[in-house]
Amino acid sequence: MAGKFEWRKFSEVNLEDSFFDPLKTDYVEFPEWFKKKSDAGEYTLVFHDEQGVGAFVYLKKENETIELVDKTLPAIPRVKIGTLRLAERFRGMRLGEGALGVSLWKWRDDKAEEIYVTVFEKHAELINLFERFGFKCIGMNSRGEYVYLKSRKEIDYSDSYKAFPFLNPDFSEAGLIPIFEKFHDRLFPYSELKIKRREIEEETAGNGITKIYIGTPYTSMHYKAGEPVGIYRIFEGATGKTYKSAVTSYCTITKMDVIKNSGRATMNLNDFIKNAGNKTVFSPEELTIIYSQSNVVMLELVYNGFFGKGHNVIHKNLKEEGLFEAHPYNLNYTKEQFIKLLEMGDVDVQNVIID
């Protein structure tokens, strides 16, 4: 898939692209609204490829009432997803998940109480996406659109996607997942290589927030679904590993499959490659080589957040705090230890783990 997401000014986006025709049909005032945003110098997250615009996301901070047919919601701090649209050629792919994931990151970091979106019933695929991420229909507006809303006060922790971008406060164990730098930087946007935070958001929007980690451990793993984990980037240089190997990100495990255990396969090669899909960094050829190993484990992760440039937690500091007393596969953190790790990465824990 050629192309990429970028934060662009409205004035840099071609309103005459056929991508916008359905929006102009659904909202006759759309061109006028677009011009106002352009004149105001506002930004949007937009995907371009060789065919033109492929996706478009606009976020707006609000503190005003929401008028529904049967009730009015009071004015409180909210983020509105003013527009989220995907071109037909990208339906069913990862752009929608990534764009919504970045929108929820922005909502969390803004510390607004709620985030909402309006959508017509005919857009069933978008509705399914919003519901997967914990949005609930609260009614209909006078335009005939359904209003889907997500509130910090009513997070559904039964599902890691519905809870995203927050971590379930009820976890009791956590861990680290070690990834060599050449694979880490393909799977997770590495903040030390990015000049600005928005570059990580752009890359994540394009790649989605579901990640597949495939390991070949020499020993058994303690990981389980619902467990938070830090992502440990292993520096492969000859010297300086204790200063350059670091925890860069944090995720929640959503699924774990033991593909092979001591040479005994529980999944054949074709199913292994199919299940890895487009959420892994490995090519089919690389997956075939991995499959030849005696022990193969596949973890599905939801990417809750990253520490950011200058905030990654290096190996030296992990050792000093007693958080690296074994091989990463064998580290089994308590809740208090994992919170300590997040704090070392300058994460606002109260804004990530909401009790």
Side-chain angles (χ1 to χ4, degrees):
M1 178 182 67
K4 64 177 294 188
F5 265 109
E6 292 180 296
W7 286 104
R8 291 282 194 91
K9 287 187 176 181
F10 273 75
S11 58
E12 298 174 326
V13 180
N14 179 19
L15 181 58
E16 301 309 311
D17 192 296
S18 60
F19 170 89
F20 293 107
D21 290 347
L23 290 170
K24 294 175 183 176
T25 299
D26 286 343
Y27 308 98
V28 294
E29 73 278 13
F30 185 79
E32 180 181 352
W33 171 85
F34 193 99
K35 185 178 185 302
K36 287 182 180 178
K37 299 301 177 186
S38 180
D39 292 343
E42 293 201 39
Y43 282 81
T44 180
L45 186 61
V46 61
F47 182 93
H48 283 102
D49 65 4
E50 67 281 354
Q51 296 186 49
V53 179
F56 184 90
V57 187
Y58 171 68
L59 304 175
K60 178 187 177 185
K61 295 181 183 180
E62 288 187 349
N63 193 337
E64 55 193 62
T65 60
I66 297 179
E67 301 291 339
L68 302 176
V69 171
D70 60 344
K71 58 187 174 184
T72 298
L73 301 186
I76 60 172
R78 297 185 179 97
V79 170
K80 180 181 181 181
I81 303 176
T83 309
L84 194 162
R85 183 175 186 275
L86 304 177
E88 289 290 341
R89 63 186 182 275
F90 293 124
R91 301 290 168 86
M93 299 181 69
R94 305 180 68 200
L95 293 187
E97 178 195 272
L100 182 54
V102 169
S103 300
L104 289 168
W105 274 353
K106 302 288 273 188
W107 166 56
R108 179 191 63 196
D109 295 345
D110 285 342
K111 299 184 179 181
E113 190 167 320
E114 297 174 347
I115 183 171
Y116 78 104
V117 63
T118 62
V119 58
F120 286 111
E121 183 179 15
K122 65 182 178 180
H123 299 304
E125 196 167 333
L126 271 181
I127 289 174
N128 288 338
L129 178 65
F130 292 129
E131 290 180 339
R132 184 187 183 211
F133 279 84
F135 285 76
K136 297 178 181 178
C137 182
I138 59 169
M140 181 179 289
N141 63 23
S142 60
R143 196 191 283 268
E145 298 168 300
Y146 288 117
V147 179
Y148 277 82
L149 181 142
K150 184 168 180 171
S151 170
R152 285 173 176 264
K153 294 182 178 180
E154 298 180 8
I155 299 297
D156 183 353
Y157 290 113
S158 67
D159 180 284
S160 297
Y161 286 92
K162 285 182 167 58
F164 181 89
F166 304 107
L167 297 178
N168 187 338
D170 293 331
F171 74 93
S172 58
E173 296 179 327
L176 282 189
I177 293 180
I179 308 179
F180 287 108
E181 59 178 335
K182 62 185 176 184
F183 299 124
H184 174 284
D185 298 350
R186 289 159 61 183
L187 189 60
F188 295 95
Y190 182 41
S191 59
E192 293 301 329
L193 302 179
K194 307 296 178 183
I195 299 173
K196 298 179 179 178
R197 180 185 181 89
R198 70 181 188 184
E199 294 181 48
I200 299 178
E201 296 170 347
E202 291 167 349
E203 194 168 331
T204 300
N207 293 332
I209 56 107
T210 299
K211 306 293 183 181
I212 295 292
Y213 168 77
I214 298 171
T216 55
Y218 65 89
T219 184
S220 61
M221 292 177 161
H222 66 81
Y223 307 120
K224 59 182 180 294
E227 179 179 314
V229 290
I231 303 301
Y232 181 67
R233 182 183 188 265
I234 302 174
F235 176 67
E236 297 177 82
T239 60
K241 289 187 177 182
T242 195
Y243 294 95
K244 295 184 179 180
S245 294
V247 181
T248 67
S249 315
Y250 54 101
C251 301
T252 302
I253 296 173
T254 57
K255 186 179 180 182
M256 175 174 171
D257 289 317
V258 178
I259 309 302
K260 292 179 72 176
N261 184 14
S262 298
R264 184 175 181 178
T266 60
M267 184 181 295
N268 65 44
L269 175 60
N270 289 336
D271 287 343
F272 172 54
I273 293 174
K274 180 180 178 181
N275 287 350
N278 64 353
K279 301 179 183 70
T280 180
V281 298
F282 298 112
S283 67
E285 293 75 21
E286 289 173 318
L287 290 172
T288 300
I289 294 172
I290 291 171
Y291 189 80
S292 68
Q293 303 296 309
S294 295
N295 296 313
V296 182
V297 174
M298 183 160 62
L299 298 176
E300 182 182 272
L301 313 165
V302 61
Y303 184 20
N304 292 99
F306 56 90
F307 293 157
K309 184 174 177 62
H311 303 283
N312 295 318
V313 184
I314 62 173
H315 173 263
K316 178 178 181 293
N317 292 341
L318 292 170
K319 287 287 289 183
E320 290 173 348
E321 294 295 331
L323 297 178
F324 210 97
E325 300 301 298
H327 187 281
Y329 283 144
N330 300 123
L331 291 171
N332 196 2
Y333 293 146
T334 64
K335 180 176 181 178
E336 291 71 23
Q337 286 176 314
F338 192 74
I339 287 175
K340 176 63 177 177
L341 173 62
L342 295 178
E343 291 173 341
M344 290 169 67
D346 296 320
V347 170
D348 182 354
V349 174
Q350 297 301 315
N351 194 40
V352 170
I353 302 175
I354 303 176
D355 288 314

